[in-house]
Amino acid sequence: VQLQASGGGLVQAGGSLRLSCVASGRSLRGYATAWFRQAPGKEREFVAAFHRTGSVPHYADSVKGRFTITRDLAQNTVYLQMNSLKPEDTAVYYCAADRSLILSSLGTAQQYDFWGQGTLVTVSS
């Protein structure tokens, strides 16, 4: 499966952005789908995900209450709505998918086989 992320940009603190990740090649049905981010000089970190068998989203504590992950399987697209953005949210955001990882590995970047190219989000103070 190929993933294409978009929607990044420059926004002031407190603002909002919506990221999109369009999949092609295969349906995302049956895949875990996730968003990760990587700030300069830091490791890639988990943001939000759906497990492949569930409809309950999972979030990193740092984004709970501000970010919402959704997916539209008919459009083969995963979204990340980001509200109340903070300067510390500045990073390259990546979407990822995997067909076989278990629930406990949902937040582990190394477990995902498929990655989008990343989209830069910059939040100014």
Side-chain angles (χ1 to χ4, degrees):
V1 60
Q2 293 79 44
L3 303 173
Q4 180 77 35
S6 63
L10 174 64
V11 64
Q12 287 187 331
S16 299
L17 281 175
R18 188 176 82 154
L19 306 183
S20 300
C21 177
V22 180
S24 59
R26 305 195 94 170
S27 169
L28 287 177
R29 193 177 303 277
Y31 281 77
T33 50
W35 288 95
F36 287 80
R37 66 186 181 186
Q38 188 165 18
K42 295 188 177 181
E43 293 187 354
R44 194 166 297 190
E45 65 171 358
F46 170 73
V47 175
F50 282 108
H51 186 246
R52 59 187 173 87
T53 62
S55 60
V56 176
H58 300 262
Y59 296 97
D61 288 343
S62 59
V63 306
K64 278 181 183 176
R66 301 188 298 123
F67 290 12
T68 303
I69 184 173
T70 57
R71 58 187 177 185
D72 183 340
L73 294 178
Q75 297 296 322
N76 224 25
T77 302
V78 183
Y79 301 98
L80 185 68
Q81 177 67 43
M82 306 185 294
N83 299 328
S84 302
L85 282 161
K86 304 175 181 179
E88 51 264 44
D89 294 319
T90 294
V92 177
Y93 283 71
Y94 298 90
C95 56
D98 194 272
R99 191 172 177 82
S100 60
L101 62 80
I102 59 177
L103 183 59
S104 61
S105 296
L106 207 58
T108 305
Q110 294 84 346
Q111 297 295 319
Y112 287 81
D113 283 341
F114 303 102
W115 289 87
Q117 84 289 2
T119 185
L120 176 63
V121 173
T122 304
V123 185
S124 63
S125 57

